[in-house]
């Protein structure tokens, strides 16, 4: 058996142009995208609506034909061996594409048959247990709650035991409790060795769950790095000092002016700084040296949402081909 590849997914110079009927040129949905998803990672693909996330997933799933570039799944080129490449991934779409008159057990058995899994090798009972639908195995899908249907979609994607799982907005429109249960499922699959690629609009979710993050905007990949690296892009913190004095007419001392301190309201000051350049002890010394009677000190550190907005703000779409 060959050794598993270092990267579960690789795309190189990927381009997708959607032609416009009766018009010159077209819309460039993907513009020279190159990235690699390490084997065993939970990899988030982030971007605004229309950024190209679903187009990229559809190309990997064989649902959309790329215009140019290369892509491989688990070391298999999607053009050279499309059936083998598709067998290496399971895709959980945004849409609830489940037959309402099939039970979860029948749905998983049918999906396994479509992938050519022999009856003796099917893991229907195991998957039902994993997605917590064992007690609903014989119920019609139309009677399941929205959350149960979401979990059944994940089960469908697992029937052929793919090494790579793609989740396209899996928690869109679901409640907090269900979202947590879905992510518990994802973590369990990842601990078992599965590589996860997901798209999500919940940036806090991506920050907590993923160890690699890519950001795409207007079809262009603008970042693809380990989470720790991308979070270090904005080396900035805020200190908010609450004081007893009324700051309405209080002249800022030179030390605080040098730190670009700003009066937020009558009793609060805000100082933005870069920890690599200014130690927090220096800021505290400037505040106490100004004779302020400090009531509270709070800090805010840049998070993934700050970085996402910073990287996507003002980006222009690529020119028409």
């Amino acid at each position: 058996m060959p050794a598993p590849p270092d990267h579960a997914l690789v795309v190189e110079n990927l381009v997708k142009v959607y032609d416009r009927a009766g018009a010159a040129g077209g819309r460039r949905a993907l513009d020279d995208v190159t990235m690699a998803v390490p084997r065993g990672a939970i990899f988030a693909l982030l971007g605004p609506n229309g950024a190209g996330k679903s187009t990229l997933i559809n190309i990997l799933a064989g649902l959309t034909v790329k215009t140019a570039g290369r892509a491989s799944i688990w070391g298999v080129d999607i053009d050279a061996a499309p059936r083998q490449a598709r067998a290496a991934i399971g895709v959980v779409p945004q849409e609830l594409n489940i037959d309402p008159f099939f039970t979860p057990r029948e749905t998983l058995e049918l999906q396994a048959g479509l992938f050519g899994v022999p009856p003796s090798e099917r893991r229907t009972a195991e998957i039902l247990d994993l997605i917590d639908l064992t007690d609903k195995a014989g119920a019609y899908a139309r009677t399941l709650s929205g959350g149960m249907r979401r979990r059944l979609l994940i089960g469908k994607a697992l029937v052929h035991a793919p090494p790579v799982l793609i989740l396209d907005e899996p928690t869109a429109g679901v409640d907090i409790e269900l979202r947590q249960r879905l992510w518990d499922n994802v973590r369990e699959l990842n601990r078992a060795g599965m590589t996860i690629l997901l798209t999500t609009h919940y940036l806090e979710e991506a920050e907590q769950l993923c160890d690699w993050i890519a950001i795409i905007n207007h079809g262009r990949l603008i970042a693809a790095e380990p989470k720790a690296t991308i979070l270090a892009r904005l080396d900035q913190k805020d200190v908010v000092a609450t004081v007893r004095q009324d700051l309405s007419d209080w002249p800022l001392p030179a030390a605080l002016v040098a730190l670009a301190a700003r009066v937020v309201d009558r009793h609060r000051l805000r100082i933005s700084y870069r920890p690599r350049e200014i130690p927090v002890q220096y800021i505290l010394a400037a505040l106490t040296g100004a004779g302020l009677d400090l009531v509270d000190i709070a800090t805010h550190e840049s998070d993934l949402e700050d970085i996402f907005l910073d990287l996507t703000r003002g980006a222009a779409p690529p020119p028409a081909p």
Side-chain angles (χ1 to χ4, degrees):
M1 180 180 294
D6 292 334
H7 293 96
L9 295 169
V10 177
V11 297
E12 300 175 273
N13 308 114
L14 205 60
V15 174
K16 175 58 184 178
V17 178
Y18 288 103
D19 293 329
R20 295 171 177 166
R27 182 176 69 85
R28 190 178 290 267
L30 293 177
D31 186 28
D32 198 31
V33 172
T34 296
M35 72 176 193
V37 177
R39 172 170 50 90
I42 302 182
F43 192 104
L45 181 61
L46 309 178
N49 288 329
K53 304 185 299 296
S54 293
T55 297
L56 176 57
I57 287 175
N58 288 338
I59 289 173
L60 294 172
L63 301 176
T64 298
V65 178
K66 59 184 173 58
T67 303
R70 297 179 62 250
S72 63
I73 304 168
W74 210 247
V76 179
D77 188 279
I78 65 172
D79 292 326
R83 289 174 62 90
Q84 187 180 350
R86 292 174 197 174
I89 62 169
V91 179
V92 180
Q94 295 184 44
E95 300 79 15
L96 292 171
N97 57 350
I98 297 172
D99 191 309
F101 296 100
F102 277 51
T103 68
R105 182 183 291 110
E106 291 168 340
T107 297
L108 297 184
E109 285 288 320
L110 175 62
Q111 189 77 359
L114 293 174
F115 274 95
V117 181
S120 61
E121 298 178 14
R122 295 177 188 175
R123 304 176 300 124
T124 301
E126 176 187 339
I127 293 172
L128 286 169
D129 183 60
L130 173 66
I131 61 178
D132 197 21
L133 285 180
T134 300
D135 61 338
K136 297 290 186 180
Y140 285 128
R142 69 175 185 271
T143 68
L144 301 180
S145 68
M148 292 176 182
R149 297 180 192 185
R150 286 280 177 191
R151 299 204 302 275
L152 184 54
L153 282 180
I154 294 178
K156 285 181 63 178
L158 298 176
V159 295
H160 57 298
V164 183
L165 181 65
I166 297 180
L167 304 166
D168 192 5
E169 298 287 351
T171 59
V174 304
D175 60 43
I176 295 175
E177 182 179 359
L178 171 59
R179 191 179 305 159
Q180 188 59 53
R181 292 180 69 182
L182 285 173
W183 291 139
D184 288 342
N185 289 150
V186 169
R187 290 187 181 97
E188 185 174 346
L189 291 168
N190 182 249
R191 284 193 293 268
M194 184 172 288
T195 302
I196 313 288
L197 170 67
L198 69 94
T199 71
T200 178
H201 281 100
Y202 299 105
L203 300 185
E204 181 181 356
E205 184 173 77
E207 187 171 348
Q208 292 178 357
L209 187 71
C210 301
D211 40 31
W212 276 75
I213 293 173
I215 298 175
I216 189 170
N217 195 28
H218 295 302
R220 293 173 174 155
L221 192 71
I222 54 179
E225 299 167 340
K227 180 175 65 178
T229 302
I230 205 165
L231 289 176
R233 278 177 171 263
L234 287 185
D235 178 33
Q236 181 171 310
K237 284 188 176 182
D238 286 350
V239 169
V240 177
T242 303
V243 302
R244 294 191 190 280
Q245 289 97 330
D246 187 337
L247 301 175
S248 301
D249 299 315
W250 187 70
L252 289 176
L256 294 181
V257 171
L259 290 170
R262 308 185 303 280
V263 175
V264 178
D265 54 37
R266 291 175 57 189
H267 296 283
R268 289 189 302 160
L269 279 171
R270 179 184 296 272
I271 298 173
S272 299
Y273 71 104
R274 294 186 179 276
R276 294 181 184 178
E277 300 173 1
I278 302 174
V280 70
Q281 296 92 330
Y282 183 86
I283 294 173
L284 294 175
L287 289 169
T288 55
L292 292 169
D293 186 2
L294 297 175
V295 175
D296 184 48
I297 293 283
T299 61
H300 169 74
E301 189 168 3
S302 299
D303 58 14
L304 182 57
E305 183 174 356
D306 297 319
I307 296 168
F308 177 84
L309 292 173
D310 183 70
L311 291 174
T312 58
R313 187 181 291 116

